[in-house]
Amino acid sequence: MPDGWMTDTRSDHARPCGHGGCDEKAGMSTPPLPAPTLRRMPAYLRLLRAWEAEGRDTVSCTHLAEALGLDPTLIRKDLQLAGGSGRPKTGYRLSELVPALEGFLGWSRPSEAFVIGAGNLGLALLHYQGFAAHGLSVVAAFDDDARKVGTTGLGKRVFPMAKLADLVQRMGVRLAILCVPDAAAQAVAEACCAAGMRGLWNFTGARLSLPEGAVVEDIDLAQSLALLSHRLSHSLAAGGRRRSEPTGTAP
Amino acid sequence: MPDGWMTDTRSDHARPCGHGGCDEKAGMSTPPLPAPTLRRMPAYLRLLRAWEAEGRDTVSCTHLAEALGLDPTLIRKDLQLAGGSGRPKTGYRLSELVPALEGFLGWSRPSEAFVIGAGNLGLALLHYQGFAAHGLSVVAAFDDDARKVGTTGLGKRVFPMAKLADLVQRMGVRLAILCVPDAAAQAVAEACCAAGMRGLWNFTGARLSLPEGAVVEDIDLAQSLALLSHRLSHSLAAGGRRRSEPTGTAP
DNA sequence: TAGATTGTTAATCGATTAACAATC
DNA sequence: TAGATTGTTAATCGATTAACAATC
């Protein structure tokens, strides 16, 4: 671990960012946190929370590793990157580790999001209860179709697109969950950015190109399906259960 | 490229599987195709189809690389693994390459799938038009709620769960798209396997454990959200647009 | 104490990128 | 022919795993 960017390994509840030298010459950006590490975090958190709920006090990487089928050392490093720290023999205190991971992921207090596009998918995400566990609060939806506008059965509101910019400004919502038809995606995404939103969770099949500063994350069903269908068509030969790599805790 | 498992690099429209030595002593399974390669395939195919539709005849890896922001050599290797082959100076013929990739992914002729759980998410996937491009035909949905059973506005049918096993047998459908509540997921997934289905595309937040032979692919929203929210909360520091790794072509 | 476990440094492994000869 | 491009072998890079000293 020779790199200089891993300095403040130990801030109590959150390693603030993957950039140790944010004060350096802006020359080159320091390497960000490895994506595989970030992807494993939710699995850790889910398990740790479940164990904490069962009344458990501490965990070791060995426990986690067994439960998840991963290498203990890998987990140790991941937890370190997330700002967790444990003690020899006993392991990590759940009461410290869980908040550390939550803080690290930015899931400590919910951030708010708007769903854009109130079709079936948009409504599914608008109403999905599971996001609360992931620090996400979906507060409302927007749609251009006047018939969709109003209040849903579950008490969430659907606004006309024309109100987006105004509500983004007033409420300070930074995250858009994009659920419009593929053909409209690029234009709508640009509108979201123009309205002041910073993050786009893209559930459409379109690949977006967006201005500086926007963060896009695609739920790419085609990718996922490629793995699944390839493995499915070749699973006869290769004995045994074969688990494709995962792609996203869901509705 | 020293390994013995890459023998039949050249079957015309599909390298049949990642297992060169399926006839070997069953001792150890030969390494499967790299998942990153598989994940990039849909992006290639999408672009190639678009260019073919524009009337283009051939492409070079350089073209693809520029369009996708990848290294040309990487693409060359990927295409090779998928059974594509080109000519120096001219590149790859689209009329050969597109079917090669389609065959490789198993997207040449649609395979059929059932949606399990006819909530908003299930209906979104049942009606999504984009799957046709990915070799997937969603033929019907199943739900335990009698109020959901019937024919949807778009002419697709929703059957009671009790009919699942019978219809799986009669129609030979192998793939289940799981859209039930998280708490029901494990039991329903087992029922799908018991009914004879082989592949599970898991859109729930539950992590499933299934019998030998079942292929599971998760759409793991938590993973995806972890990347997005972490990057979002640290994007101020690191200048520039930051594109999270993708996770799935979608509704 | 003895042993489980952390933190850390070194080795391995696999995927990406670079280099280059072959070819149309 | 000259030059773009493929196919392929070697080098790099990053992530995972192994080894081990420190510690409670």
Side-chain angles (χ1 to χ4, degrees), chain A residues 47-70:
Chain A
L47 208 47
L48 296 173
R49 281 169 168 170
W51 286 341
E52 196 175 28
E54 284 173 5
R56 218 147 154 176
D57 230 45
T58 60
V59 280
S60 71
C61 291
T62 323
H63 291 314
L64 278 165
E66 268 167 27
L68 294 167
L70 299 172

Side-chain angles (χ1 to χ4, degrees), chain A residues 11 14 50 73 77 118 121 137 151 172 192 204 209 213 248-249:
Chain A
S11 75
T73 305
K77 286 194 166 166
L121 178 59
S137 169
T151 301
C192 290
T204 79
S209 63
T249 305

Side-chain angles (χ1 to χ4, degrees), chain A residues 15-19 22 29-30 32-35 38-42 46 104-107 111 119-121 123-125 127-128 130-131 134-136 174-176 178-182 198-251, chain B residues 15-19 22 29-30 32-35 38-42 46 104-107 111 119-121 123-125 127-128 130-131 134-136 174-176 178-182 198-251:
Chain A
R15 185 161 165 287
C17 72
H19 318 273
C22 285
S29 52
T30 41
L33 213 61
L38 231 24
R39 287 213 193 81
R40 284 186 293 266
M41 291 294 171
R46 150 196 284 258
F104 172 76
L105 287 170
W107 292 0
S111 57
N120 275 316
L121 178 59
L123 293 178
L125 296 172
H127 291 141
Y128 181 50
F131 287 142
H134 306 134
L136 190 64
R174 295 186 306 165
L175 180 63
L178 204 64
C179 303
V180 300
D182 292 0
R198 301 287 323 282
L200 269 164
W201 205 7
N202 178 26
F203 282 76
T204 79
R207 294 313 87 171
L208 308 171
S209 63
L210 290 174
E212 286 284 303
V215 179
V216 180
E217 163 78 15
D218 299 319
I219 294 291
D220 192 334
L221 295 195
Q223 262 188 31
S224 178
L225 188 57
L227 264 77
L228 180 58
S229 50
H230 184 269
R231 300 223 161 119
L232 197 49
S233 56
H234 303 310
S235 66
L236 316 148
R241 166 175 46 96
R242 190 166 274 289
R243 173 167 262 273
S244 300
E245 299 263 302
T247 306
T249 305
Chain B
R15 185 162 164 288
C17 73
H19 318 275
C22 285
S29 52
T30 41
L33 214 58
L38 231 25
R39 288 213 192 82
R40 284 186 294 265
M41 292 294 170
R46 148 195 286 256
F104 171 75
L105 287 170
W107 292 359
S111 57
N120 274 316
L121 178 60
L123 292 178
L125 297 172
H127 291 141
Y128 181 50
F131 287 141
H134 305 135
L136 190 63
R174 294 186 307 165
L175 180 62
L178 204 64
C179 303
V180 299
D182 292 0
R198 300 288 321 285
L200 268 164
W201 204 7
N202 178 26
F203 283 77
T204 79
R207 293 314 85 166
L208 307 170
S209 62
L210 289 173
E212 285 285 303
V215 178
V216 180
E217 164 77 15
D218 299 320
I219 295 290
D220 192 333
L221 295 195
Q223 264 187 30
S224 179
L225 187 57
L227 265 77
L228 180 57
S229 51
H230 185 268
R231 301 224 159 118
L232 197 50
S233 55
H234 302 310
S235 66
L236 317 148
R241 165 175 47 97
R242 193 167 271 287
R243 173 167 263 275
S244 298
E245 298 263 302
T247 306
T249 301

